[in-house]
Amino acid sequence: MYMNLAIYGAQGYALSTYMALKNLYPQREISCFLVTSMGANASMLGGIPVKELSVFAEGMSGEEKQNVEILISTPEQVQMEIEETLENFGFRHHRRLTFARWTELMKLFHVKLGRFLPLTALPVGYHEPFVRIYMAKSHVDKPLKKLCPQPEYVFPIQVGADCCDLRVADLSDNTGEHISGKNGNYCELTALYWMWRNKLLAGGTTDGEAGQYYGLCQYRRGFDLKEDDLLRLVDNDVDVVLPYPLPYEPNIHAHHERYLKEADWSAMIAALKELQPEYAEVFPEILNQQYLYNYNLILAKKSVLRDYCAWLFPILERTEEFSEPKGSERQDRYIGYMGETLETLYFMKNADKLNVVHTECRTAT
């Protein structure tokens, strides 16, 4: 006899957990999502209710609480605090869905459905790739509680370096060709632009590029790549590695309405129609599905990343020109949010042309 199961959390992380459990373990009934406060959370998610913990616990006897199992499906940094809250409400049967467990759950889920192929599903090869990932850092980043050693192929780069005198990394995005001054709108994408203009276009465009992979991560979010993962890249002809996408309800367009003004969204649509009408035509289909590639994280062949940047940045620049007020007159991160949607559009549209695989996105605390 199974206990009553509830999921603590109500964002993409929790929804992906619910969808995976429902598919992989249909015998388990999940009664609801739980949150500390409703805030901006929807009242329903995945067809089941979202409830405040205090409301859920109200009127329950101690015996009834002992028959409730709660799976904490949130970022790891807040799970201990949630455990304490659950204990205070009298719930004793709870467990954390750790990063490692969530990753394994996503792997099983996507393999079963035959989509979002995991990198670890590929055989380990023999050829070592050249890998260089730039990790975006800013002078306003909050200190991490736990510092993790970075692999030798990860190079910190300060973004928005043109906007301050303090230096937090040996590399900065205001050398060579750059848009460092636009960091207030572009966020980590000023580092991607710097990579494109100063690394991906350097030394020609074809000679000696076999086995070269370049990527972008953030100081708190990055790929968790083991040695065997790197050995999977070249021999399996992997074009791009992306983080597992997160689902949103009812679709990703609704998700971005929380972060982008309608006028800015219209500006991006206008830029896309003008510069890439083929992509504009399929954009509604992409927007109406649930999965979004978050955080602008990417690792790709040098040539693939160069092509993506050549596609992306003209659209973003034209969006700035169409925006009211124009991008040069503001600093509200809106271009960075658009980058996530455009990354989703580009790689979902080209999924039949590119060998796209997925891995976990580790969040540092």
Side-chain angles (χ1 to χ4, degrees):
M1 187 71 177
Y2 292 114
M3 299 173 68
N4 180 23
L5 178 61
I7 295 177
Y8 201 102
Q11 300 300 320
Y13 194 78
L15 179 58
S16 64
T17 300
Y18 170 76
M19 294 169 67
L21 291 177
K22 188 176 179 182
N23 183 275
L24 296 170
Y25 309 102
Q27 69 274 22
R28 294 301 309 267
E29 289 190 15
I30 303 170
S31 62
C32 64
F33 292 93
L34 296 174
V35 293
T36 304
S37 173
M38 287 302 293
N41 290 303
S43 60
M44 297 287 291
L45 193 63
I48 61 175
V50 179
K51 299 181 178 181
E52 285 192 3
L53 179 60
S54 59
V55 175
F56 179 71
E58 188 176 0
M60 271 191 183
S61 66
E63 184 178 350
E64 288 173 321
K65 290 180 181 179
Q66 293 310 304
N67 195 41
V68 176
E69 180 183 2
I70 300 175
L71 184 61
I72 304 173
S73 185
T74 65
E76 285 191 58
Q77 66 265 29
V78 297
Q79 289 183 349
M80 182 180 295
E81 180 182 342
I82 291 170
E83 282 184 326
E84 294 176 0
T85 301
L86 292 173
E87 289 285 339
N88 291 336
F89 274 95
F91 295 102
R92 302 289 182 260
H93 299 291
H94 49 75
R95 66 180 62 197
R96 304 180 189 184
L97 187 66
T98 63
F99 170 75
R101 289 173 179 170
W102 182 84
T103 296
E104 186 63 21
L105 186 64
M106 290 304 103
K107 176 183 175 181
L108 294 172
F109 178 44
H110 291 307
V111 165
K112 182 177 178 181
L113 295 183
R115 64 182 182 193
F116 305 134
L117 177 68
L119 174 61
T120 53
L122 301 177
V124 176
Y126 299 93
H127 293 92
E128 292 190 9
F130 170 88
V131 176
R132 181 158 292 189
I133 298 177
Y134 291 92
M135 180 177 68
K137 297 187 64 175
S138 170
H139 71 286
V140 298
D141 289 340
K142 295 179 180 178
L144 297 175
K145 297 178 182 178
K146 182 179 179 181
L147 294 176
C148 299
Q150 294 294 334
E152 61 181 9
Y153 55 79
V154 174
F155 293 80
I157 179 171
Q158 182 170 347
V159 295
D162 227 23
C163 306
C164 72
D165 295 326
L166 180 65
R167 289 292 168 261
V168 297
D170 293 335
L171 293 175
S172 59
D173 69 348
N174 65 340
T175 60
E177 280 194 66
H178 67 85
I179 54 171
S180 179
K182 294 185 176 184
N183 181 256
N185 288 330
Y186 278 68
C187 305
E188 62 278 348
L189 292 179
T190 58
L192 185 61
Y193 184 93
W194 179 90
M195 290 166 54
W196 174 40
R197 303 304 299 180
N198 300 286
K199 296 296 180 181
L200 304 181
L201 292 176
T205 57
T206 55
D207 295 339
E209 290 188 357
Q212 292 190 27
Y213 288 81
Y214 284 78
L216 175 69
C217 68
Q218 303 176 18
Y219 91 109
R220 287 187 61 239
R221 297 185 178 95
F223 295 115
D224 187 26
L225 298 171
K226 300 174 178 60
E227 183 178 353
D228 282 355
D229 296 327
L230 297 179
L231 290 175
R232 290 179 166 98
L233 297 175
V234 176
D235 289 326
N236 291 288
D237 197 27
V238 171
D239 287 309
V240 59
V241 182
L242 295 171
Y244 286 117
L246 290 178
Y248 296 93
E249 280 202 346
N251 52 43
I252 64 172
H253 189 194
H255 167 66
H256 270 307
E257 286 178 339
R258 299 173 58 185
Y259 302 101
L260 293 170
K261 299 175 182 177
E262 187 60 35
D264 293 332
W265 190 264
S266 297
M268 183 181 69
I269 297 294
L272 196 61
K273 287 181 177 179
E274 178 184 297
L275 299 177
Q276 296 289 344
E278 181 182 351
Y279 285 84
E281 186 175 340
V282 300
F283 201 24
E285 178 183 345
I286 301 298
L287 293 174
N288 283 325
Q289 56 85 48
Q290 286 188 292
Y291 286 94
L292 175 75
Y293 290 122
N294 291 272
Y295 315 127
N296 290 308
L297 266 61
I298 188 170
L299 174 65
K301 287 179 180 177
K302 184 178 182 181
S303 59
V304 172
L305 190 56
R306 182 172 56 238
D307 289 345
Y308 170 58
C309 290
W311 176 88
L312 173 68
F313 285 105
I315 296 171
L316 296 179
E317 182 179 4
R318 193 68 174 127
T319 299
E320 286 188 282
E321 295 169 353
F322 282 142
S323 299
E324 290 293 342
K326 295 185 182 299
S328 59
E329 301 170 1
R330 57 201 285 189
Q331 292 193 18
D332 56 7
R333 304 176 64 186
Y334 79 114
I335 294 293
Y337 288 124
M338 288 180 180
E340 295 178 324
T341 306
L342 291 172
E343 181 181 85
T344 303
L345 168 63
Y346 186 87
F347 289 105
M348 285 193 176
K349 181 183 183 302
N350 292 303
D352 60 337
K353 301 175 185 176
L354 297 173
N355 185 10
V356 182
V357 298
H358 303 81
T359 191
E360 56 270 27
C361 167
R362 179 174 286 279
T363 300
T365 60

